[in-house]
């Protein structure tokens, strides 16, 4: 369990640093990025949000050891503000944008499709030398149709089930015994009976993360490989059936999106939260009084011995073409 958790965190928080040289000059009084072939210098600004921004701060420490002449300012401006300001900035030719922006993988293609010339071609700056540091999936979402990188992979979102250790202990449930979704439902029934705590937060009326995790776990999504809507697939039906069973057994806390999940966590209303690895940072940040009361186990499989891995979320780094210091960025 401990070894799996360590691997879970390492994979989820892995960070790539883009290091390339350029002859562009700095802006706003910054030092220039150096002559062709010289070391990058100057000041750059990175936009991010909560846990993602904190992870970037950690990466900056190592970056500064390699590039002491580059000052990096990480601004946590909030996830929704990042997208609002990025959209407006790209539409206006780059006005008001920083040098680097964090973008979630599921939003990345939309920005490139709408503003292909507004994002720096990283392959032209030598990023291809680093591409093999990430898996094929992360490479694919950051490349255009010609295989050129318009973004650099930042992190992936391996999933697991975060659970309240104190609630499980009170109910006499061993998380290691939960290997399938049927096991998960049975455990939820016991926990509800013994503690009165509901098993999982789900936004019944909207797009929900658990459904997406279940699809990904089975190698499926909303669309098939040809791009056709595929929510009536066998994989989708299996996911809906499990969620329906959870609802029928009154194990679901119907919540309102992201804020609802966080509120349920902070208020101790649910025994588990299936989510991406990055949610560990949210628990630490939003529920510090629950320190030592959370553990994690692998996502349950749909059948005995089946796949227990999935991905949810993950983000990437883009450099707006409007930056005056591509080399440092």
């Amino acid at each position: 369990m401990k070894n799996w958790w360590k691997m879970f965190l390492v994979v989820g928080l892995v960070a790539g640093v883009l290091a390339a040289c350029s002859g562009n000059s700095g802006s706003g009084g910054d030092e220039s990025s150096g002559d062709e072939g010289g070391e990058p210098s100057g000041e750059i600004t990175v936009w991010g949000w909560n846990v993602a921004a904190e992870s970037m701060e950690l990466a900056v420490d190592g970056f500064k050891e390699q590039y002491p002449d580059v000052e990096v300012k990480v601004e946590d401006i909030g996830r929704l503000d990042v997208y609002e300001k990025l959209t407006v900035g790209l539409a206006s030719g780059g006005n008001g944008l920083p040098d680097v922006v964090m973008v979630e993988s599921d939003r990345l293609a939309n920005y490139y499709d709408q503003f292909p010339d507004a994002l720096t071609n990283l392959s032209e700056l030598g990023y291809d030398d680093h591409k093999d540091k990430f898996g094929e999936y992360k490479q694919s979402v950051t490349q255009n149709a010609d295989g050129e990188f318009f973004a650099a992979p930042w992190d992936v979102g391996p999933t697991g089930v975060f659970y309240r250790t104190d609630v499980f202990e009170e109910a006499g449930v061993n998380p290691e015994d939960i290997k399938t979704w049927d096991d998960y439902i049975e455990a939820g029934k016991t926990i509800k009976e013994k503690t009165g705590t509901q098993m999982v937060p789900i936004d019944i009326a909207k797009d929900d993360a658990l459904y997406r995790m279940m699809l990904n776990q089975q190698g499926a999504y909303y669309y098939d490989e040809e791009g056709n809507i595929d929510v009536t697939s066998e994989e989708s039906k299996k996911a809906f059936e499990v969620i329906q069973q959870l609802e029928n057994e009154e194990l679901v806390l119907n919540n309102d999106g992201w804020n609802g999940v966080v509120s349920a966590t902070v208020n101790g209303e649910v025994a588990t939260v299936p989510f991406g690895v990055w949610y560990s940072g949210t628990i630490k940040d939003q529920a510090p009084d629950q320190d030592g009361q959370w553990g994690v186990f692998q996502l349950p499989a749909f059948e005995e011995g089946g796949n227990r891995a999935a991905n949810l979320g993950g983000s990437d780094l883009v450099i707006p073409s409007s930056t005056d210091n591509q080399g440092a960025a």
Side-chain angles (χ1 to χ4, degrees), residues 18 23 48 106 145 151 190 198-199 208 221 224 269 281 298 329:
L18 173 64
D106 59 356
T190 300
Q198 289 173 288
M199 191 63 166
D208 187 79
Y221 196 54
D224 61 21
E269 297 176 283
Q298 288 179 283

Side-chain angles (χ1 to χ4, degrees), residues 48-63:
W49 59 87
N50 52 58
V51 178
E54 291 178 14
S55 297
M56 175 60 75
E57 290 278 11
L58 296 175
V60 169
D61 293 339
F63 175 81

Side-chain angles (χ1 to χ4, degrees), residues 12-297:
L13 298 178
V14 64
V17 176
L18 173 64
C21 297
S22 170
N24 292 354
S25 60
S27 62
D30 292 339
E31 298 176 32
S32 72
S33 58
D35 296 331
E36 189 72 30
E39 287 296 312
S41 62
E43 180 178 313
I44 59 173
T45 299
V46 183
W47 278 357
W49 59 87
N50 52 58
V51 178
E54 291 178 14
S55 297
M56 175 60 75
E57 290 278 11
L58 296 175
V60 169
D61 293 339
F63 175 81
K64 285 286 292 179
E65 293 179 4
Q66 297 184 57
Y67 301 99
D69 295 331
V70 180
E71 293 300 321
V72 183
K73 181 180 181 182
V74 179
E75 295 184 351
D76 177 358
I77 66 173
R79 177 173 164 272
L80 296 181
D81 282 344
V82 164
Y83 295 126
E84 181 179 337
K85 293 182 178 182
L86 178 60
T87 301
V88 173
L90 293 178
S92 63
N95 291 328
L97 292 180
D99 304 281
V100 180
V101 184
M102 308 182 95
V103 180
E104 289 168 295
S105 296
D106 59 356
R107 294 174 179 256
L108 195 58
N110 289 336
Y111 280 110
Y112 184 77
D113 290 343
Q114 293 183 57
F115 311 105
D117 297 328
L119 302 179
T120 299
N121 185 321
L122 304 186
S123 290
E124 294 179 356
L125 296 180
Y127 179 76
D128 289 19
D129 292 342
H130 306 282
K131 65 181 182 180
D132 291 337
K133 295 176 181 177
F134 283 84
E136 183 179 348
Y137 161 72
K138 288 300 289 188
Q139 292 185 40
S140 69
V141 298
T142 53
Q143 291 174 296
N144 61 23
D146 296 325
E148 297 174 315
F149 286 87
F150 62 90
W154 170 245
D155 70 283
V156 293
T159 61
V161 180
F162 295 94
Y163 72 98
R164 283 288 297 264
T165 55
D166 53 338
V167 174
F168 271 60
E169 288 172 4
E170 181 181 350
V173 174
N174 184 350
E176 295 185 14
D177 293 336
I178 301 177
K179 302 183 184 303
T180 67
W181 286 111
D182 287 339
D183 295 337
Y184 180 80
I185 292 170
E186 289 303 312
K189 291 162 65 175
T190 300
I191 289 171
K192 180 74 179 294
E193 177 186 352
K194 297 291 183 64
T195 71
T197 307
Q198 289 173 288
M199 191 63 166
V200 59
I202 297 178
D203 191 340
I204 296 296
K206 300 177 183 177
D207 172 44
D208 187 79
L210 181 59
Y211 173 64
R212 276 183 278 131
M213 280 185 275
M214 288 178 167
L215 287 183
N216 187 270
Q217 182 181 6
Q218 300 175 85
Y221 196 54
Y222 304 145
Y223 313 98
D224 61 21
E225 294 183 358
E226 285 72 44
N228 301 310
I229 295 175
D230 200 27
V231 293
T232 59
S233 66
E234 288 303 312
E235 293 85 359
S236 180
K237 290 177 182 177
K238 286 183 179 180
F240 280 135
E241 286 171 357
V242 171
I243 295 172
Q244 181 68 65
Q245 290 176 36
L246 288 165
E247 174 71 6
N248 290 344
E249 297 293 345
E250 299 182 349
L251 303 178
V252 171
L253 176 68
N254 188 14
N255 67 280
D256 184 15
W258 169 257
N259 290 334
V261 174
V262 175
S263 295
T265 300
V266 173
N267 297 331
E269 297 176 283
V270 291
T272 73
V273 182
F275 239 147
V277 62
W278 34 262
Y279 197 63
S280 58
T282 301
I283 294 173
K284 292 177 181 178
D285 182 59
Q286 298 294 319
D289 59 317
Q290 296 172 11
D291 182 31
Q293 296 179 338
W294 285 92
V296 63
F297 58 88

